[in-house]
Amino acid sequence: MAKSQGNGSGGRSLDAVIVGAGFAGMYMLYQLRNLGFSAKVIERADGVGGTWYWNRYPGARCDVESLNYSFSFDNDLEQEWVWSERYSPQPEILKYANHVADRFDLRKDIEFQTSVDKAVWDDNECRWAISTSKGETISAQHYIMASGCLSHSKLPEIPGVDSYQGPTYHTGHWPHEGVDFTGMRIGVIGTGSSGIQSIPELAKQAAHVTVFQRTPNFSMPAGNRALEADEVDAMKAIYPEHRQAARTSGFGVPVPLPERSALEVSEEERNEVFQRGWDSGNLVGMLLGFNDLLTSKEANDTACEFVRNKIRAIVKDPQTAEDLCPFDHPLGTKRPCLDSGYYETFNRDNVKLINLRRTPIEEITPTGIRTSDQEFTFDAIIFATGFDAMTGALVAVDIEGQDGITLKNKWQDGTRTYLGIMVHGFPNLFTITGPASPSVFSNMMISIEQHVDWIAACMVYLRDHGKASIEASQEAEDFWVQHNTEAGDATLYPLANSWYMGSNVPGKPRVLMPYIGGVGVYREECDDIVANGYRGFVMRDAREKASV
Ligand code: FAD
Ligand code: N01
């Protein structure tokens, strides 16, 4: 077992540094420690949980069912933990993350309130020099980014965004003590999942809520409810088979795949299938009603119209209903949402929708928000404006690979990875749920576990074979970039201006970042690559220089 030791420049020397103590970083640490590697997690926050540490806004909860959205790597953990709701709320998921940290004694190897700011690859030593906000530079053979796909929050690019004098809150950085909006007039910018979850709760408390919507989203009722003891027991009895089915599924949740096209059935039958999907309270319930909803615009249009008719039936004011109806993207191509009374909230007297397509925001003022036709005064403004997704947290660290090339520069025209796990020119850098892996197109727990297991096995292989480094070859990376693009181009995803496509960040290259080939197919590919001697990867013996 490699011991943590000095690196000659005052810092420590480790087998691995892991960035982030969300579910990915915690499981990575657990695995590496069990395998005898010296590893430390560096985490900016003062606690574990990642997403569930930061996103504490009212109404925050998962939208993959808790019985699926949980770790499967430890049978006892799986059997002992009891989820209270179908879609458990943020405090319970954070409690689970803390339970995992305590149960496996992870905290002793996590350094909180510390950021990783820079990492430089030394091609002679085959090691990373990783600099932290505490002024330390740690030497590590392996550098593992578990920094999250949705952890780098962003404010809107609106003139005057810093000029508002009242309190502002971003859903991704919610105060730990909560916020009491009683009696306040508040403005909310953003109607993605965070806005859609929080607006109904905010409306119950605040005196008045003005919702600023640029793009209407498709949302379906979550059908959230308390879980019955017998259904939890029933799941626990079949967990091994259930998890295995999830690992080989398309989206990381075992659901039957449809065989028919939406266009080959009568309108009546189609609407019956959509109604079942709508009632299922399942994120992919409607999308998996037919086999062509993500590939045929004509088929997808029928599902869009079904949802729009639901919105029209729920929202009483016809203009508000029409403004809430999405027309600019196919269903599912922006992340679909599950809600608890979102559309109904617009029937309340204290909620008003502002359609920014008609009256855009011109500026944020010291007292509120001014659109092209009105000035609003608020006691607080909430930014539900999302994240620089997939790449934001990765390139926020100044990562310098071979020949001084930075990850940021390498990706300036679009993300390039092999399997979303490694990047050519950056040996021994692993990205958990990185770009071009199924990641956000899946139940993330399944994808996190698969990546962590793959990386851990790879590190064992290197150790057992006396290898100092592993790197994706240029050819393998080119192949995977092309494959990822082709998989995306066969779907409707490129039609939307979504964070999947990088469209929410000005200047970000327009590339479908996550891999849509499916969790099961992707896992097979990863396993096949290993079975074929790590096809597409180049390894170096200690101190051996190799041209890759
Ligand atoms: P994160 O949980 O994002 O953790 C990354 C950690 O890295 C953070 O704690 C961050 O502080 C730290 N970090 C980043 N950069 C640095 C640095 N330079 N130095 C130090 N620390 C750093 N997915 C699902 O599958 N189902 C769901 O229902 C679901 N719900 C979600 C709800 C919300 C509100 C959001 C925002 C996301 C949701 N997701 C969901 C996606 C979710 O992000 C993943 O499921 C999962 O929690 C990601 O875990 P992670 O460990 O990979 O990353
Ligand atoms: O962020 P988003 P999010 N002016 O990017 C608007 C996961 N998640 O935090 O669409 C006006 O989806 C922007 O408008 P537009 C999930 O994967 C899950 O809500 O760009 N508006 C959009 O409406 C999710 O997809 C859950 O036109 C501006 C909104 O802000 C991901 O995290 C809950 C604007 C941002 O929506 C991100 O969700 C929460 C501007 N200048 C999050 N800039 C679950 O339910 C941005 N917007 C499990």
Side-chain angles (χ1 to χ4, degrees):
M1 171 176 178
K3 287 268 182 296
S4 175
Q5 57 199 3
N7 67 3
S9 61
R12 286 166 292 173
S13 185
L14 298 166
D15 292 327
V17 163
I18 302 162
V19 182
F23 287 130
M26 287 200 291
Y27 181 44
M28 191 78 245
L29 174 64
Y30 167 86
Q31 277 285 36
L32 292 188
R33 253 179 20 191
N34 283 351
L35 292 165
F37 291 102
S38 61
K40 292 281 176 199
V41 172
I42 309 290
E43 168 57 60
R44 177 174 292 133
D46 67 3
V48 299
T51 288
W52 306 102
Y53 172 95
W54 294 107
N55 292 263
R56 300 176 189 229
Y57 58 84
R61 57 181 71 249
C62 53
D63 62 3
V64 169
E65 292 183 58
S66 295
L67 289 170
N68 288 308
Y69 187 68
S70 44
F71 279 127
S72 70
F73 69 84
D74 185 276
N75 184 53
D76 292 342
L77 168 69
E78 195 171 63
Q79 291 295 324
E80 78 198 6
W81 184 263
V82 181
W83 293 108
S84 68
E85 293 181 41
R86 184 182 184 193
Y87 297 108
S88 291
Q90 172 272 329
E92 188 170 323
I93 306 173
L94 183 59
K95 196 168 160 196
Y96 174 73
N98 277 289
H99 172 73
V100 171
D102 292 336
R103 193 181 196 293
F104 300 106
D105 195 17
L106 298 179
R107 281 176 222 281
K108 68 178 183 207
D109 288 314
I110 304 177
E111 295 172 17
F112 294 108
Q113 293 179 289
T114 311
S115 297
V116 168
D117 299 331
K118 189 174 171 73
V120 180
W121 172 249
D122 181 332
D123 215 31
N124 291 319
E125 295 298 322
C126 285
R127 293 184 76 81
W128 285 94
I130 297 149
S131 308
T132 76
S133 56
K134 297 257 168 83
E136 187 185 12
T137 298
I138 305 171
S139 169
Q141 185 183 358
H142 300 287
Y143 175 42
I144 304 171
M145 290 297 274
S147 49
C149 295
L150 294 158
S151 57
H152 198 79
S153 61
K154 68 179 287 294
L155 289 170
E157 293 74 22
I158 298 175
V161 69
D162 294 326
S163 69
Y164 179 66
Q165 299 293 301
T168 60
Y169 305 96
H170 191 290
T171 46
H173 285 275
W174 204 260
H176 291 196
E177 64 281 10
V179 187
D180 183 2
F181 292 107
T182 308
M184 290 193 188
R185 299 179 69 81
I186 61 176
V188 182
I189 301 179
T191 52
S193 302
S194 302
I196 282 175
Q197 283 190 330
S198 59
I199 288 162
E201 296 304 312
L202 294 166
K204 288 178 198 161
Q205 200 182 60
H208 193 273
V209 181
T210 306
V211 177
F212 294 89
Q213 171 198 272
R214 187 164 65 184
T215 311
N217 238 312
F218 290 100
S219 186
M220 285 149 276
N224 189 35
R225 56 180 172 74
L227 284 172
E228 304 291 340
D230 55 354
E231 63 184 315
V232 174
D233 290 347
M235 176 60 91
K236 287 182 175 178
I238 58 151
Y239 249 145
E241 305 91 277
H242 182 83
R243 300 289 202 185
Q244 189 50 29
R247 291 181 194 115
T248 56
S249 69
F251 293 100
V253 177
V255 274
L257 293 178
E259 282 167 8
R260 289 179 309 170
S261 158
L263 304 176
E264 71 184 51
V265 299
S266 68
E267 188 180 349
E268 189 185 2
E269 192 178 345
R270 196 162 53 223
N271 284 339
E272 278 171 16
V273 172
F274 287 149
Q275 184 66 47
R276 280 200 294 279
W278 176 268
D279 292 337
S280 70
N282 188 322
L283 201 56
V284 288
M286 272 195 66
L287 283 173
L288 292 182
F290 296 100
N291 65 9
D292 53 355
L293 294 179
L294 283 172
T295 50
S296 156
K297 174 82 168 58
E298 198 185 347
N300 191 286
D301 282 344
T302 63
C304 292
E305 193 53 17
F306 179 89
V307 178
R308 287 192 289 259
N309 283 333
K310 288 289 182 193
I311 297 170
R312 291 170 184 131
I314 297 169
V315 179
K316 292 187 182 137
D317 176 58
Q319 184 62 60
T320 305
E322 220 42 41
D323 285 345
L324 284 164
C325 285
F327 282 97
D328 81 328
H329 64 281
L331 175 76
T333 57
K334 278 170 94 90
R335 174 84 156 45
C337 307
L338 285 187
D339 68 85
S340 297
Y342 176 65
Y343 294 118
E344 291 81 352
T345 298
F346 292 91
N347 293 331
R348 294 177 67 109
D349 292 338
N350 70 333
V351 177
K352 176 144 182 71
L353 181 73
I354 303 298
N355 180 345
L356 299 180
R357 300 279 179 210
R358 252 202 322 274
T359 57
I361 295 179
E362 294 196 333
E363 68 169 332
I364 295 181
T365 68
T367 53
I369 293 174
R370 187 161 56 76
T371 65
S372 58
D373 80 338
Q374 207 176 337
E375 178 132 15
F376 298 86
T377 300
F378 295 123
D379 299 311
I381 296 178
I382 292 159
F383 297 114
T385 45
F387 303 88
D388 182 352
M390 308 289 301
T391 58
L394 293 171
V395 300
V397 180
D398 186 9
I399 302 179
E400 198 179 299
Q402 284 168 332
D403 304 322
I405 295 170
T406 64
L407 194 60
K408 194 172 184 175
N409 276 342
K410 163 133 186 168
W411 285 356
Q412 65 187 348
D413 296 324
T415 47
R416 303 188 61 78
T417 72
Y418 184 32
L419 298 172
I421 303 180
M422 296 204 85
V423 183
H424 175 67
F426 296 79
N428 293 6
L429 165 68
F430 296 96
T431 52
I432 303 179
T433 64
S437 73
S439 57
V440 292
F441 278 155
S442 70
N443 168 6
M444 287 283 281
M445 290 303 226
I446 292 291
S447 290
I448 285 170
E449 287 190 334
Q450 188 248 337
H451 264 193
V452 169
D453 292 345
W454 195 97
I455 294 165
C458 176
M459 284 175 58
V460 168
Y461 182 94
L462 294 175
R463 184 174 62 186
D464 290 351
H465 291 79
K467 301 291 180 189
S469 73
I470 180 167
E471 181 188 1
S473 73
Q474 183 68 67
E475 297 71 33
E477 186 180 273
D478 290 347
F479 156 74
W480 193 254
V481 170
Q482 190 181 343
H483 176 60
N484 191 55
T485 306
E486 283 169 1
D489 285 349
T491 71
L492 302 177
Y493 284 99
L495 297 183
N497 286 323
S498 63
W499 59 256
Y500 294 143
M501 297 293 300
S503 323
N504 66 328
V505 178
K508 195 164 172 173
R510 198 177 161 80
V511 175
L512 181 65
M513 290 180 285
Y515 176 60
I516 190 59
V519 160
V521 169
Y522 173 82
R523 176 184 294 265
E524 270 178 33
E525 180 70 10
C526 290
D527 291 348
D528 188 59
I529 283 167
V530 173
N532 285 282
Y534 284 88
R535 188 178 64 236
F537 289 100
V538 179
M539 298 184 191
R540 278 193 279 175
D541 291 331
R543 312 231 169 179
E544 169 206 339
K545 290 254 187 189
S547 169
V548 288

